[in-house]
Amino acid sequence: VQLQASGGGLVQAGGSLRLSCAASGRTFSSYVMGWFRHAPGKEREFVAAISRGGVSTQYAGSVKGRFTISRDNAKNTVYLQMSSLKPEDSAVYYCASGSILTATQPLWDYWGQGTQVTVSS
């Protein structure tokens, strides 16, 4: 599966952004989908994940209550709605697909290219 992330940009602290990740192929609904981020000088970290049907979600503690992951299987797209953004949310955001709802990165199978999110103070 090929993944294409978009929607990044520059936003002021307290603002919102919505990231999208479009997937190729006809089996999008068979994949668990997730978002990760990588900030300069830090390791890449888990952000959020969503189950195949969208019923179950998982979030990193640092974004819980501010970010919402969702998916539209008819459009082969997963979203990350980010609100109340903080400068520490600045990073390159990546989407990924896999078979397990997990924060453990090696268990994710396919990765898209990243989209830059910059939050100014």
Side-chain angles (χ1 to χ4, degrees), residues 8 24 58 70 72 74 82 90 111-113:
S24 64
Q58 186 174 344
S70 62
D72 186 338
M82 306 185 293
S90 297
W111 295 80
Q113 94 298 346

Side-chain angles (χ1 to χ4, degrees), residues 1 3 21-23 28 31-36 46 48-52 69-71 73 76-78 95-101 108 110:
V1 61
L3 305 172
C21 175
F28 177 76
Y31 292 104
V32 172
M33 299 298 298
W35 288 95
F36 294 78
F46 169 78
I50 189 166
S51 61
R52 295 171 179 81
I69 188 171
S70 62
R71 66 189 297 163
N73 287 343
N76 283 11
T77 303
V78 61
C95 59
S97 65
S99 58
I100 302 173
L101 193 68
W108 291 83
Y110 301 99

Side-chain angles (χ1 to χ4, degrees), residues 30-117:
S30 67
Y31 292 104
V32 172
M33 299 298 298
W35 288 95
F36 294 78
R37 66 186 182 186
H38 192 187
K42 298 183 180 180
E43 294 186 352
R44 187 172 60 186
E45 63 177 358
F46 169 78
V47 175
I50 189 166
S51 61
R52 295 171 179 81
V55 173
S56 298
T57 57
Q58 186 174 344
Y59 295 94
S62 59
V63 306
K64 190 173 290 186
R66 300 188 297 121
F67 291 11
T68 302
I69 188 171
S70 62
R71 66 189 297 163
D72 186 338
N73 287 343
K75 295 183 178 180
N76 283 11
T77 303
V78 61
Y79 305 97
L80 185 68
Q81 178 67 49
M82 306 185 293
S83 303
S84 301
L85 283 162
K86 305 175 182 179
E88 51 263 44
D89 293 318
S90 297
V92 177
Y93 283 71
Y94 298 88
C95 59
S97 65
S99 58
I100 302 173
L101 193 68
T102 177
T104 304
Q105 296 184 47
L107 296 180
W108 291 83
D109 300 318
Y110 301 99
W111 295 80
Q113 94 298 346
T115 185
Q116 176 72 49
V117 172

